[in-house]
Amino acid sequence: MDAPEEKPTSGLPHGAAMQRNIVRRRRKGTVLRSIFLGSTLIGLVALAVLLFTIINDSFGLVALDYKVDPATLSDRPLEELSRDELVVILQDNISSNAFRTLERTTPMAQRSEGDVLGLVLERVVKQSVAGTWSLTDSLLNRSAIEAQVAAESPAATLKFRSWLSGGFLTTPMSSNALIAGVRTALFGSLWMIGITILFAFPIGTGAAIYLEEYARDNRFNRIIQTNINNLAGVPSIIYGMLGLAVFVRLLEPVTSGRVFGVEGSNGRTILSASLTMMLLILPIIIINAQEAIRAVPLSLRQASYGLGATKWQTIRHHVLPGAMPGILTGTILAVSRAIGETAPLIVVGASTFIVSDPDGPFSKFTALPIQIYNWTSRAQGEFGNIAAAAIMVLLVMLLTLNSIAVLIRNRLSRRAS
Amino acid sequence: MDDKASAGVSMDSRVAGVRRETAETTLNLRKKSRPGENVIQGFLLFCGVLSMFTTIGIVLVLGNESLHFFTNDNVSITEFLTGTQWSPQIGQFGILPLLLATLVTSFIAMLVALPLGLGAAIYLSEYASPRARKILKPVLEVLAGVPTIVYGYFALTFMTPLLQSIFGKDTVNIYNMAAAGLVMGIMILPLVCSMSEDALSAVPRSLREGAYGLGATRLETATKIVVPAGLSGIIAAFVVAISRAVGETMIVAVAAGAGPNFTLNPFASAETMTGHIARISGGDLSYDSIDYNSIFAIGMLLFLLTLVLNMGSRRLVRRFREVYE
C-alpha cells in the first residue's frame, strides 16, 4: 500500500518482514475492534447504572423518629384502624381550632382513609425521618445501619420502606416526604398530554399531507420544509419562552378561560402548557408523518386516480390508511418526548406546590417532571428517595406508551398487508 | 360534511351534464368544481404554514423582549457581549460567565459523546453481526428516550458522588460542571451513534469489497475507506450533537449549580445560559422587569447559536455528500 511506484517489488516487505507486517496489522485490528466494542458497551453499562441508581434509591431502610409514639395512641397499628377511629384520635390530640380549620377545607366525612392517616401522622405523631439508606446498603450492611441508628437516635425505629407504593400514586403533594405522592402531578401530566395530542395530531398530520401530496416544488414550500427541519433543532427552553410570551401573556384571556366564563386563574394553565408542547412536538410529528406518507407506493395513488377518484378521496382512502401505522408511531414517540419535557413547563409556569387535582384545561397544574425537578433540588435524603420513586412512575408511563406504539404498528401493518 | 357537500355538487353537475348532453349531444369533460376539496386543501395549507408562524413568533418574541432589555439605561450590547459579571441586582449584565459555563459543559459532553458515539457506530455498522445489531441498537436508543430530568437526577446522585470519591470532596463541589457534562455526554451518545451509523451504512458495499480485494484488513477498510466516505454525515452528527448540548437545560439546571461563575474549573459550580433561564423563570417573575427581559436576551443568543449550528450541519451534508449510485 505504501510502496513507492518506481520500485514495485523491492518496496514491498518480503518473507519474514511481510509476516511481521501482517501480524502487526491484525493485532492493531483486534485492539481497535475491542475499543469500538467497548464504546458500545459503555453506552449499555451507562443505561444499566442509570436504572440501577433509580431502583436503588426507590427502596430501602428508613429510620423514623416520633414526637408521640403511635403505640400510645392505639393498641393496634395505625394502618389497621378505620377512618372513624383515626378521626377520633385526630380530634383528641389536636386543638379544636386546628380541627375546625381542617374540617372547613374538606369535611372529615369526605376524606379518604389514607388522607386522615396522613393527617394523624403529620399533626399528632409528628413523624420525621432520621435517615434513609439505599437498597444495596439496606441489604448488605443492615447490622451496621442498626448500630448507627441505635447510637445516633435511639428513639427511632428502623423500617424497610418501598417509596414507590399504591399510596404514593394516589396521595397529593405534601411538604412531608413520608406522605407526599404524585397524584396531582400525574393528573396534570395526563391532562396536558391529552390536550396536546388533540391539537398536535391533526395539525401535524395535515401539514405532512400538505407537504407530501399537495405542495409543488417551489420556493415557498421549500422554505416551509427547511423551516420545519430547523424547528426540530430549536432547544425546548426556547419554546417555553415563546409559550410564556404568547400563550401565558398575550393570549391570557383565552388560556385563562376568561372568554369562556371561567374565572380565578391567570394564563399559567394546562391549556398554555399544552399549546406550548404542541409547538414543540409538531416538527417531530410532521417529519415522521412525511416519511410514512412517502413510503406509500406511487402505484396505489395512480390506481386510485385511474378509477376516477379525486385527490382527497385518494388520500383519504388509500394514502392515509397505508401511512397510518407510521404516523401513529411517530406521534406516540413525539408524545413520549413531551411527557418527559421539563424546561418549557418551568418557563411557562407550572406550579411546584399544588394539592388539588386539576379539573379542566383552565386550572393551575403541576406535572410529573416538574415534581421530580422540585424534589431533586432539595437537599434532604428522603426527597431524593421520592424523586427516584417519581422517576420510576415516569419511566413506567413512557415504557407503556412505547409498547402501545409497537402494538399499534404491528396490528395496523398486519391489516394493511 | 365534506363528503355530503361534494356528493351534492357532483349530483348537480351530473344532472347538468345529462341535460347538456341531450341538448348539444356532447360530453362535458370540464373539471368539476369541488368546494369540499378546496376547504380541505385550505386546512392542510394552514397546517403547513403554522410552522412558519412558530418561527416568526420565536423571532418576534425574543427580538422584542431583547430590544426592551437593550434599550434599558443600565444595559449596553457591548457590555452584554463582553462583560465578565452577571449580577442583575447591581446592574451587571455580562453574558460571558453564562456562555463560558455552557461551553465548558458542552465541551466535556463532546469529549464523551463524540469518540464513544463514533466508536459505537463503527462497531455496529462494520463489525456487529446482524443479530447483535438488532439487539444493541434499540437498547442504545432507549438511552435517547430517557427524559433529561432523569439524567439530571443521575448526575446529582451518581456522577457527583463518584467524582467526589475519585478526586476528593474538597476539589469537587456538590454542584459542578464536570458531572453535568459527563452525563450530558452519555445522553447525547445515542444521537451521535445513530446518525453516524446511518452515514456509514449508506456507504456502498462495493467500496468495502474493493478495499478487501486490495488486501486491507477490516480495520483498515473501516478507518481508511468507510469513515472518510461517510465523513459528511459524521461531521453533521457532531454538529447536531453540539447544538443539543448547548440547548440542554435540565441536567445543568439540576447538577451544574445555581449562580453565574466565570471559571474554567470543571469541578466548580457555574450556571449555564439555559440553567439561568430555567432558574429565573422558575421563581416568581414579574413581567416587564429587567430580569424578565434579560432571559429573553439570553434566549436570543441561544437561539442564534443553535440555529447556526443546525443550519451549518445541514449545509455540510448537502455540500460534501458523496453521491453513490
Side-chain angles (χ1 to χ4, degrees), chain A residues 23-56:
Chain A
V23 168
R24 189 176 49 79
R25 283 165 60 202
R26 288 239 174 97
R27 200 183 303 130
K28 207 171 142 200
T30 324
V31 169
L32 269 145
R33 183 203 159 110
S34 27
I35 291 180
F36 294 145
L37 177 62
S39 33
T40 315
L41 292 182
I42 286 179
L44 303 188
V45 169
L47 180 64
V49 173
L50 177 74
L51 294 178
F52 172 76
T53 312
I54 290 158
I55 294 172
N56 197 22

Side-chain angles (χ1 to χ4, degrees), chain B residues 154-171:
Chain B
F154 182 59
L156 193 64
T157 59
F158 177 81
M159 198 55 86
T160 302
L162 184 71
L163 290 176
Q164 281 181 330
S165 66
I166 296 174
F167 298 100
K169 282 199 171 174
D170 301 328
T171 7

Side-chain angles (χ1 to χ4, degrees), chain B:
Chain B
M1 195 185 89
D2 294 322
D3 278 348
K4 228 182 274 170
S6 62
V9 168
S10 60
M11 193 80 86
D12 287 348
S13 45
R14 210 175 302 146
V15 172
V18 169
R19 205 185 308 128
R20 216 170 294 147
E21 212 177 331
T22 47
E24 307 166 19
T25 63
T26 50
L27 261 171
N28 177 14
L29 290 175
R30 260 186 303 166
K31 194 179 170 191
K32 291 168 190 161
S33 97
R34 294 176 185 277
E37 295 254 326
N38 292 340
V39 169
I40 290 172
Q41 192 173 347
F43 170 72
L44 297 176
L45 175 66
F46 162 76
C47 295
V49 173
L50 190 77
S51 66
M52 296 289 283
F53 288 129
T54 311
T55 309
I56 295 170
I58 290 176
V59 172
L60 276 185
V61 163
L62 294 179
N64 182 35
E65 301 290 346
S66 311
L67 202 67
H68 281 298
F69 176 68
F70 288 121
T71 48
N72 190 297
D73 293 336
N74 294 328
V75 189
S76 71
I77 291 194
T78 38
E79 190 215 317
F80 179 73
L81 291 175
T82 57
T84 58
Q85 199 188 358
W86 181 279
S87 28
Q89 306 86 354
I90 56 167
Q92 292 284 334
F93 292 98
I95 189 81
L96 288 183
L98 302 176
L99 187 62
L100 187 67
T102 295
L103 294 181
V104 170
T105 48
S106 305
F107 180 73
I108 297 171
M110 290 306 109
L111 282 185
V112 175
L114 301 190
L116 290 183
L118 182 59
I122 294 176
Y123 183 79
L124 287 178
S125 117
E126 302 302 310
Y127 289 96
S129 67
R131 220 177 110 218
R133 188 151 138 202
K134 223 173 156 185
I135 301 169
L136 288 175
K137 227 185 147 181
V139 176
L140 268 183
E141 269 157 19
V142 171
L143 268 182
V146 174
T148 58
I149 179 69
V150 178
Y151 282 108
Y153 179 85
F154 182 59
L156 193 64
T157 59
F158 177 81
M159 198 55 86
T160 302
L162 184 71
L163 290 176
Q164 281 181 330
S165 66
I166 296 174
F167 298 100
K169 282 199 171 174
D170 301 328
T171 7
V172 184
N173 201 304
I174 299 179
Y175 300 104
N176 64 79
M177 293 189 278
L182 289 172
V183 172
M184 200 145 78
I186 295 172
M187 181 196 88
I188 295 172
L189 193 160
L191 174 91
V192 178
C193 175
S194 82
M195 277 183 80
S196 310
E197 212 241 283
D198 288 345
L200 295 180
S201 306
V203 174
R205 212 179 151 64
S206 57
L207 279 182
R208 296 185 181 92
E209 306 283 359
Y212 290 141
L214 289 171
T217 63
R218 206 168 214 188
L219 172 76
E220 286 157 356
T221 312
T223 54
K224 292 182 182 156
I225 305 294
V226 182
V227 169
L231 199 61
S232 70
I234 294 173
I235 293 178
F238 285 9
V239 178
V240 170
I242 296 172
S243 124
R244 272 289 289 279
V246 168
E248 170 46 43
T249 309
M250 290 327 292
I251 299 177
V252 287
V254 168
N261 187 358
F262 192 59
T263 176
L264 274 170
N265 176 8
F267 295 132
S269 91
E271 197 167 47
T272 66
M273 298 197 286
T274 50
H276 185 75
I277 297 175
R279 180 169 64 90
I280 294 297
S281 54
D284 267 332
L285 190 61
S286 52
Y287 302 141
D288 298 321
S289 65
I290 185 121
D291 270 352
Y292 179 81
N293 292 332
S294 75
I295 62 170
F296 284 87
I298 301 172
M300 186 82 189
L301 187 64
L302 190 66
F303 177 67
L304 291 179
L305 219 60
T306 51
L307 188 70
V308 167
L309 284 171
N310 285 327
M311 285 173 89
S313 112
R314 206 158 307 116
R315 180 148 301 175
L316 217 68
V317 172
R318 219 178 306 136
R319 187 108 178 248
F320 296 105
R321 176 155 46 196
E322 311 265 348
V323 180
Y324 306 103
E325 281 152 48

Side-chain angles (χ1 to χ4, degrees), chain A residues 65 68 77 82 109 111 142 144 165 180 191 233-234 326-328 340 356 366 381 385 393:
Chain A
D65 221 340
V68 177
S82 71
R111 289 175 187 260
R142 178 143 195 165
S165 63
W191 265 106
V234 171
I327 296 177
L328 283 180
S356 53
T366 185
N385 294 115
V393 177

Side-chain angles (χ1 to χ4, degrees), chain A residues 149-227:
Chain A
V149 170
E152 283 172 9
S153 38
T157 53
L158 200 59
K159 270 205 305 198
F160 189 86
R161 184 182 170 105
S162 162
W163 295 92
L164 180 68
S165 63
F168 184 70
L169 291 176
T170 51
T171 48
M173 174 75 184
S174 160
S175 54
N176 180 351
L178 287 170
I179 54 170
V182 289
R183 182 198 171 95
T184 36
L186 211 52
F187 275 114
S189 278
L190 291 177
W191 265 106
M192 187 195 75
I193 287 306
I195 299 176
T196 305
I197 296 174
L198 215 60
F199 286 110
F201 178 67
I203 294 180
T205 313
I209 296 174
Y210 172 75
L211 287 170
E212 286 304 313
E213 301 289 326
Y214 286 96
R216 294 195 188 86
D217 188 26
N218 58 23
R219 200 188 169 90
F220 174 71
N221 291 319
R222 267 200 304 272
I223 290 178
I224 293 187
Q225 185 69 62
T226 316
N227 180 48

